[in-house]
Amino acid sequence: MDPHVRTTGGRVRGHWAGGVAEFLGIPYAAAPVGERRFAAPVPAPSWEGVRYCHAYGPTAPQPPSDYTEGVPEPLIAGDDYLNLNVFTPDPGAAGLPVLVWIHGGAFNGGSNASPWYRGTTFARDGVVFVAVNYRLGVEGFLPLDGAPVNLGVLDWVRALTWVHDNIAAFGGDPGAVTVGGQSAGGQASLTLLAVPGAAGLLHRVIDMSGGAVAWEPVEPACQAARALAGRLGVPPTREAFSAFAPQELVAAYASLGSDEPGPGPLGEIFRPGPKGFNPVNDGEVVARSPYDMIRDGSAHPAGLLMGATLEEFNESVRSQPGPVEEEAYLGALRGLGAAPEARCFYEERLPAGLEVLGQILTDKIFRMPTLRLTEAGAEAGRTVHAYEFRWRSPARGGAVGAGHCVDLPFVFDNLDAGGVGRMCGPTPPQALADDMHAAWVRFVATGDPGWPPYDLRSRPTWIFDTPGHLTHDPLAGESRLWPGP
């Protein structure tokens, strides 16, 4: 028989797949349309009878992705996109640890319907896995007059509240909830530590390749809202924006960008365009900069598992036409803030030109901010476990390397999922997936992934490679070149 569970909204019927009970597309909030558009999320209306949850629910409005080499992210039409998926080994169990997954996508794309985020393997290993959708782009992160700020953040809190109220019915422990994600999902997970409304709703955090979370105040985002309003010919208000269909807002915001790349070898990467979307420090929904609150100890208590890949954005640079002329190379180094000693450091290790620029870009955007957050948490007395992913994918002639998102199929132990071969090559090592997935399961269950917590003296860091190994202070050289948060 299909599994049945009673939630606060009504009964839901899932299905069994590979010994795991899957409940897909459960609404955790009312559809953000009509009067609920650009409004704080509220619980979904209750329903009579049994709701069939056998298929993924709708996905949030977003631009169509023209990137076919990364995480597969299907788009599903419909209004009830504030939904979540639950994977559990046994709805009749009790006290199982819980992992709530927030997808990445620069806060402007992505969904919980990706086959890479299927939680079957976590449930197989005793974890109740929950993957959430949330409002993206203009609908979720652009402040408008008459609307709450940080609507996407409020969606995360509403989803966590649903988990707190309902997860026991799926066999989970509401007092043992880990929130995790990759890229923007990692940033989201850390941001929740600075959200007063999330107090008591999460107990551990996994940040994969999240980079910096020193969010800015509201005003720069308001400037972006005014720019979009000018393009639309309306005031930047909730009422005026509600008159446009979501995809009209998506298209209008994209049109604020430039069709021409910037100058130099990084011009295609740093193409002039509109401000990106992210949470802001509004003083209420997000109290202050999450980085500052982790550093001074005022963020919510939670153990951290944090890391990045060795070559997050290297492919985006090494794939540019080369070779690079010396003048353009020097200009790009200056644009990245690389002093002469930084050039010497990287050129001793990598070929000058695109390889050096790619590694500097990765270090500035991902590895160094992750290190500073790790240090801040450890200095504040928080238990932090640090890692780095260094296995280099052979895909696209080796250009992918240890790049952004390559680690995801290993964490989820789903090397047979659609699209993995394009990112990880034809024979990704199963032993590495066994190691990473087991470490994530251990952290969710116990707070200990299997290596010593980080301290500012020996700086233990686990390296995921073939084979994996423990090292100490692996970023000592880079750290001296890039001071500050």
Side-chain angles (χ1 to χ4, degrees):
M1 292 181 61
D2 284 342
H4 287 70
V5 165
R6 180 175 295 280
T7 72
T8 52
R11 293 188 64 83
V12 292
R13 177 177 177 178
H15 68 281
W16 292 99
V20 167
E22 301 182 350
F23 299 83
L24 308 178
I26 304 174
Y28 67 82
V33 297
E35 294 182 354
R36 302 302 321 155
R37 189 129 180 248
F38 296 108
V42 297
S46 300
W47 56 87
E48 298 292 333
V50 177
R51 187 182 188 109
Y52 286 78
C53 297
H54 290 183
Y56 288 115
T59 55
Q62 58 192 275
S65 175
D66 57 1
Y67 183 58
T68 59
E69 305 294 344
V71 181
E73 290 171 334
L75 301 182
I76 303 171
D79 292 337
D80 277 318
Y81 60 83
L82 296 184
N83 63 64
L84 49 79
N85 309 317
V86 181
F87 300 78
T88 176
D90 181 5
L96 297 176
V98 180
L99 173 57
V100 177
W101 183 259
I102 301 177
H103 69 75
F107 301 115
N108 196 36
S111 81
N112 65 359
S114 172
W116 286 23
Y117 304 147
R118 192 164 178 241
T120 306
T121 55
F122 280 99
R124 174 199 69 195
D125 294 328
V127 172
V128 178
F129 181 90
V130 182
V132 304
N133 278 341
Y134 53 96
R135 279 174 280 190
L136 302 168
V138 174
E139 304 274 337
F141 295 96
L142 207 61
L144 300 174
D145 293 343
V149 297
N150 286 315
L151 284 169
V153 179
L154 291 173
D155 292 344
W156 305 334
V157 175
R158 171 93 282 278
L160 287 176
T161 302
W162 186 97
V163 168
H164 182 271
D165 294 343
N166 291 279
I167 208 64
F170 295 86
D173 180 358
V177 174
T178 299
V179 178
Q182 184 264 352
S183 195
Q187 293 180 319
S189 302
L190 283 174
T191 296
L192 283 163
L193 295 179
V195 176
L201 300 178
L202 71 164
H203 310 91
R204 299 185 182 105
V205 166
I206 298 173
D207 171 25
M208 298 172 56
S209 302
V213 289
W215 301 126
E216 58 197 9
V218 179
E219 180 52 31
C222 291
Q223 293 175 7
R226 290 192 289 268
L228 178 57
R231 175 60 59 93
L232 295 169
V234 298
T237 65
R238 173 186 176 185
E239 180 181 10
F241 273 51
S242 294
F244 294 89
Q247 289 302 330
E248 290 180 303
L249 297 180
V250 168
Y253 196 82
S255 73
L256 293 177
S258 170
D259 292 330
E260 297 297 326
L266 301 182
E268 186 65 33
I269 299 161
F270 295 126
R271 181 186 295 271
K275 172 186 164 55
F277 297 105
N278 55 256
V280 292
N281 300 329
D282 65 294
E284 295 183 14
V285 177
V286 180
R288 291 190 291 120
S289 158
Y291 172 80
D292 289 343
M293 293 185 68
I294 291 171
R295 183 177 58 182
D296 67 18
S298 61
H300 300 318
L304 305 179
L305 173 60
M306 298 186 60
T309 72
L310 175 64
E311 300 175 306
E312 296 275 5
F313 271 15
N314 295 40
E315 183 190 13
S316 62
V317 179
R318 63 165 61 108
S319 63
Q320 301 303 308
V324 181
E325 298 294 334
E326 178 71 9
E327 183 177 353
Y329 180 46
L330 291 175
L333 288 170
R334 287 193 297 270
L336 289 168
E341 56 268 29
R343 176 181 179 179
C344 292
F345 175 88
Y346 287 98
E347 288 182 355
E348 287 176 356
R349 293 157 176 80
L350 297 165
L354 294 175
E355 289 295 325
V356 164
L357 295 177
Q359 193 61 56
I360 291 176
L361 185 67
T362 282
D363 289 355
K364 286 204 66 175
I365 294 178
F366 292 98
R367 295 172 84 211
M368 287 302 104
T370 299
L371 174 63
R372 300 308 177 206
L373 280 160
T374 302
E375 293 172 334
E379 188 171 9
R382 193 180 295 264
T383 300
V384 186
H385 288 86
Y387 75 90
E388 183 162 276
F389 180 88
R390 291 189 182 176
W391 179 78
R392 300 195 75 255
S393 166
R396 299 194 280 282
V400 173
H404 201 58
C405 301
V406 172
D407 51 345
L408 278 169
F410 295 94
V411 166
F412 277 80
D413 187 18
N414 60 359
L415 299 182
D416 58 348
V420 170
R422 295 193 302 269
M423 177 71 77
C424 300
T427 57
Q430 180 61 48
L432 179 56
D434 293 342
D435 290 346
M436 288 200 80
H437 179 72
W440 265 239
V441 169
R442 284 194 300 267
F443 179 78
V444 172
T446 69
D448 180 2
W451 62 89
Y454 197 85
D455 66 80
L456 298 179
R457 181 182 57 82
S458 61
R459 300 173 182 265
T461 304
W462 189 265
I463 304 300
F464 283 105
D465 204 342
T466 50
H469 60 278
L470 184 69
T471 190
H472 293 83
D473 204 8
L475 296 177
E478 292 89 341
S479 181
R480 288 191 291 270
L481 299 171
W482 309 107

